[in-house]
């Protein structure tokens, strides 16, 4: 059974056909991961599948929560290991009882580690927890809670409980609580696939400085209105005016075909936007630089949601041009929402919290017609740009952006 699982996982990983980049992973959690050396299996799977150099270190302790492992946040072995290493990823695992009976404590501990990981330039990874052998019915609740924590702390999620329910149960356990060798291969394969899926990404924001960002029209970064706080690029609360309270900020680099991911949190009644393919030249209309805009808005409270045509100024929309799907899964203001933008030549997609909400061809006649009905109708060749900057909009409201990363396509 274990050999068959290993073969399947190696074949799946090998489909990428690329040499794996160097990865350095810190594992923090329970001793269950050490029973059959899951961290070592992850390293072996990655090396066998794609080559490259993967390394790891583990801080695992029996019957201990992440909260206990975090301790005072300064002197615990887990914290010291995180602060002393040059990690690309930090994998976190919580105990079942903490997840099921003390969820808020589990969330608080995971967030503390995730924030520290980002401060050190590492990507946090949250490992879903499989159910105890005598409680298979808890798998769905564990999956739900682990996934919610991963989203709340901005971590990559490893879907262990979901995979557990699709596998024959008996071979996955050594005893009530610990995985068998076969179970360890399942967990290791899932971790390896999540980490390998990070290939090609680079962070546009390091979580602690404004490196790589500047103001509009070649101006310095507007530090009086945009700050770095709690791992976020944050604009403070103002008077709700467009690009008048510090101005927009944009990347120093430009991009053509790419995949962009980030998370944002907006104050109630707020307005902002994520622009892309932006030219840093004086705007022909308005005060904000021109480009495609992924609308960031409180649809329920901001009046802009009712303007435009057919909802094309609501959250997730291509601003003033194409409305987002009406069944979009927007989260309440004050919570983090996840945005994904894909530009592949002429094809463009907007995603909101895992759902595709806008898709169009910017070189099509249909798109040109929509532009003639928008505020951009008098801008020559609108949307036909070859490349441009990524921009975060100042609209005079409090907004926070984090986990901003991009990869070329």
């Amino acid at each position: 059974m274990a050999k068959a699982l290993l073969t399947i996982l190696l074949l799946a990983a090998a489909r990428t056909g690329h040499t794996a980049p160097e990865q350095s992973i810190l594992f923090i959690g329970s001793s269950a991961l050490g029973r059959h050396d899951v961290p070592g299996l992850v390293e072996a799977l990655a090396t066998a599948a794609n080559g490259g150099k993967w390394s790891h270190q583990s801080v695992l302790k029996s019957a201990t929560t992440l909260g206990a492992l975090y301790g005072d946040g300064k002197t615990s072995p887990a914290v010291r290991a995180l602060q002393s290493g040059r990690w690309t990823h930090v994998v976190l695992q919580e105990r079942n009882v903490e997840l099921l009976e003390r969820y808020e404590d589990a969330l608080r501990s995971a967030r503390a580690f995730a924030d520290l990981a980002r401060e050190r330039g590492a990507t946090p990874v949250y490992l879903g927890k499989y159910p105890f052998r005598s409680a298979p019915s808890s798998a769905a609740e564990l999956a739900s809670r682990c996934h919610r924590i991963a989203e709340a702390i901005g971590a990559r999620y490893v879907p262990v409980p979901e995979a557990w329910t699709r596998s024959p149960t008996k071979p996955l356990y050594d005893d009530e609580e610990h995985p068998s060798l076969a179970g360890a291969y399942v967990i290791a394969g899932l971790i390896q696939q999540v980490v390998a899926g990070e290939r090609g990404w680079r962070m546009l924001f390091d979580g602690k400085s404004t490196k790589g960002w500047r103001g509009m029209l070649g101006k310095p970064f507007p530090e009086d209105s945009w700050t770095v706080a709690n791992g976020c690029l944050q604009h403070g609360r103002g008077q709700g005016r467009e690009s008048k309270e510090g101005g927009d900020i944009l990347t120093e680099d430009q991009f053509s075909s790419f995949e962009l991911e980030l998370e944002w949190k907006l104050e109630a009644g707020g307005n902002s936007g994520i622009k892309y393919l932006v030219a840093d030249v004086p705007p022909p209309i308005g005060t904000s630089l021109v480009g495609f805009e992924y609308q960031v808005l409180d649809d329920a409270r901001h009046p802009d949601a009712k303007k435009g045509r057919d909802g094309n100024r609501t959250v997730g929309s291509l601003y003033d041009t194409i409305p987002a799907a009406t069944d979009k899964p927007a989260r309440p203001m004050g919570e983090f929402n996840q945005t994904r933008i894909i530009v592949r030549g002429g094809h463009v997609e907007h995603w909101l919290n895992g759902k595709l909400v806008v898709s169009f061809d910017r070189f099509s006649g249909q798109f040109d017609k929509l532009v003639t009905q928008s505020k951009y109708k008098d801008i020559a060749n609108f949307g036909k740009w070859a490349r441009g900057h990524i921009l975060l909009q100042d609209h005079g409201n409090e907004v926070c952006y984090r986990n901003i990363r991009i990869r070329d396509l």
Side-chain angles (χ1 to χ4, degrees), residues 168-406:
T169 302
K170 187 175 180 180
L172 298 178
Y173 294 92
D174 268 349
D175 54 28
E176 167 68 6
E177 185 175 346
H178 295 92
S180 64
L181 182 57
Y185 274 130
V186 171
I187 297 169
L190 292 168
I191 295 172
Q192 187 269 334
Q193 288 176 4
V194 168
V195 173
E198 303 285 300
R199 183 178 296 110
W201 290 101
R202 68 181 176 98
M203 301 303 294
L204 291 180
F205 169 54
D206 63 13
K208 56 188 177 182
S209 75
T210 61
K211 182 180 178 182
W213 294 84
R214 59 175 173 80
M216 299 166 51
L217 304 177
K219 295 179 181 178
F221 188 92
E223 295 181 351
D224 56 334
S225 53
W226 288 87
T227 58
V228 176
N230 301 316
C232 289
L233 272 173
Q234 182 169 316
H235 187 280
R237 183 174 299 165
Q239 300 179 25
R241 301 175 300 169
E242 180 184 80
S243 302
K244 292 290 188 181
E245 299 173 50
D248 304 336
I249 57 173
L250 61 156
T251 57
E252 293 178 350
D253 292 339
Q254 297 187 56
F255 307 92
S256 51
S257 288
F258 60 86
E259 182 176 5
L260 172 70
E261 287 186 353
L262 69 163
E263 297 174 314
W264 53 268
K265 181 171 65 174
L266 183 66
E267 69 170 316
N271 186 354
S272 184
I274 304 158
K275 294 189 178 184
Y276 51 102
L277 298 177
V278 172
D280 190 21
V281 297
I285 58 173
T287 54
S288 182
L289 300 181
V290 172
F292 284 145
E293 180 178 350
Y294 181 113
Q295 176 72 311
V296 172
L297 193 79
D298 182 351
D299 289 350
R301 299 178 182 88
H302 198 285
D304 213 27
K306 296 180 174 59
K307 298 179 181 180
R309 295 169 55 90
D310 303 321
N312 65 8
R313 294 190 179 186
T314 60
V315 66
S317 299
L318 180 66
Y319 179 74
D320 208 54
T321 312
I322 302 176
T326 56
D327 61 346
K328 58 194 172 190
R331 298 183 187 133
M333 296 302 101
E335 295 184 15
F336 276 102
N337 284 265
Q338 297 173 320
T339 284
R340 181 180 176 215
I341 298 169
I342 296 175
V343 177
R344 193 186 300 270
H347 180 73
V348 181
E349 295 178 1
H350 287 188
W351 293 72
L352 177 62
N353 296 322
K355 180 178 176 61
L356 178 64
V357 295
V358 168
S359 179
F360 64 98
D361 180 350
R362 64 191 179 107
F363 298 140
S364 68
Q366 182 182 11
F367 176 74
D368 292 341
K369 181 179 179 180
L370 291 170
V371 172
T372 65
Q373 301 169 348
S374 76
K375 64 185 290 185
Y376 307 112
K377 61 182 182 295
D378 295 325
I379 299 178
N381 298 314
F382 178 80
K384 304 299 193 282
W385 317 288
R387 58 194 287 109
H389 302 273
I390 308 297
L391 178 150
L392 303 179
Q393 190 183 39
D394 156 31
H395 215 293
N397 296 120
E398 185 175 311
V399 64
C400 170
Y401 292 98
R402 72 179 188 186
N403 294 338
I404 310 169
R405 65 178 192 162
I406 199 166

Side-chain angles (χ1 to χ4, degrees), residues 17-32:
H18 301 286
T19 299
E22 183 172 343
Q23 306 286 4
S24 181
I25 308 172
L26 175 64
F27 292 83
I28 302 174
S30 73
S31 61

